[in-house]
Amino acid sequence: MSGGGARGLAHVGVIKVLAEHKIPIDMIAGTSIGSLIGGAFASGLTPDEIEKMSQGIRWRHLTQPSYSPIALLSNKRMGQFIERRFPVTKFEELKIPLSVVACDLKKSERVVFKDSGDLVMAIRASCAVPGFFSPVKYDGRTLVDGGVMDPLPVDAVKEMGAEVVIAVDLLGCGTEYLGVPKTALGMIFKSAFILLRTATKGQQHDADITLLPRIAHIRPDRLNQNEACRLRGEEIARENIEEIKRLVSG
């Protein structure tokens, strides 16, 4: 499950369709919002429960001022949100094995959390977009968003032993909402998304099938678009369900 900010409910739409068609989900790897949605499902929440959990949520429920010179916000409230709503908060208690991908900013290396330990910390780290959210300090590391190095963590789920990989890429669809940048901030956003799209395209080829929900028109900071994202996730999963069944049965 890739990153993608507020587009994350598209992941829920995909999971919902897979569950309807009895497609087994034996393990999950997630980066950024993919780690949050993947963690929710792996902890035992159903797609409907995850959707309900997201209703009415706003950034103020997940973030707060960081008072740091290197970031605008802290995602500490995200951790509190997870603790209140997830059935479990330790990797060893999850119903489905999960890998959460972050990046060690000091060492410029990918960090994968799995098997045991603090799920809340791992998800916060994986969602800590550099510049926007303060890095998460853990075990001597300075951790930021896994999308910096691994926006579509196909490799992480293969390392878990996955034989058939269904990748859901919320970044490869593009950024129609931006158009031609007219400001410096717009230029930064546009350039960042081009880099992320390039990275995910390289990783798509390592999956058995990659689902690309049609959400290029939806800004990744608009949490009020959750329903639209979920429906686009369902749509792309239904379009590809026969191919997915063929892969799983083969």
Side-chain angles (χ1 to χ4, degrees):
M1 294 182 177
S2 80
R7 296 169 163 182
L9 261 288
H11 285 309
V12 179
V14 171
I15 294 172
K16 188 172 184 178
V17 173
L18 296 182
E20 287 175 1
H21 288 268
K22 304 295 190 295
I23 304 297
I25 301 176
D26 299 317
M27 57 197 70
I28 301 169
T31 291
S32 200
I33 191 63
S35 74
L36 178 58
I37 301 299
F41 187 67
S43 74
L45 294 175
T46 67
D48 287 341
E49 287 171 335
I50 299 171
E51 183 184 355
K52 184 177 180 180
M53 180 179 72
S54 72
Q55 291 176 351
I57 192 170
R58 295 293 180 263
W59 287 114
R60 66 178 181 275
H61 301 134
L62 304 175
T63 67
Q64 63 191 62
S66 70
Y67 306 109
S68 166
I70 62 172
L72 299 173
L73 301 166
S74 164
N75 66 8
K76 185 177 180 180
R77 284 181 181 169
M78 179 185 290
Q80 297 166 349
F81 178 88
I82 294 169
E83 289 172 348
R84 289 194 300 267
R85 289 167 173 80
F86 280 24
V88 300
T89 56
K90 298 291 184 183
F91 277 93
E92 56 266 36
E93 298 171 343
L94 293 172
K95 308 298 182 184
I96 300 172
L98 171 74
S99 286
V100 171
V101 181
C103 171
D104 185 324
L105 197 60
K106 290 182 179 178
K107 296 183 178 180
S108 299
E109 66 182 20
R110 186 184 67 138
V111 179
V112 179
F113 294 98
K114 59 181 180 178
D115 299 331
S116 64
D118 187 349
L119 176 65
V120 177
M121 177 281 303
I123 293 175
R124 281 189 59 213
S126 187
C127 293
V129 180
F132 288 95
F133 299 124
S134 300
V136 173
K137 301 295 183 70
Y138 176 76
D139 196 24
R141 295 178 180 267
T142 300
L143 302 171
V144 296
D145 195 308
V148 171
M149 299 193 72
D150 201 359
L152 184 64
V154 174
D155 48 358
V157 79
K158 284 191 170 184
E159 289 164 6
M160 298 171 75
E163 296 179 357
V164 177
V165 178
I166 303 168
V168 186
D169 184 357
L170 310 187
L171 297 166
C173 60
T175 56
E176 292 173 6
Y177 67 91
L178 275 178
V180 179
K182 297 180 180 179
T183 66
L185 185 59
M187 184 66 75
I188 291 171
F189 270 113
K190 188 75 172 183
S191 300
F193 263 86
I194 290 172
L195 287 170
L196 288 168
R197 286 177 65 194
T198 302
T200 60
K201 283 180 180 178
Q203 293 170 305
Q204 287 174 17
H205 300 297
D206 294 328
D208 293 281
I209 186 170
T210 299
L211 306 183
L212 286 158
R214 300 179 187 91
I215 50 177
H217 60 291
I218 298 175
R219 283 173 48 169
D221 62 334
R222 293 290 175 86
L223 288 171
N224 60 350
Q225 297 291 311
N226 280 342
E227 176 70 3
C229 289
R230 179 186 62 78
L231 290 173
R232 292 303 177 105
E234 288 187 27
E235 175 186 64
I236 199 68
R238 294 190 197 285
E239 288 178 12
N240 289 275
I241 196 63
E242 294 307 318
E243 174 64 11
I244 292 170
K245 288 179 178 179
R246 185 189 67 77
L247 287 167
V248 171
S249 63

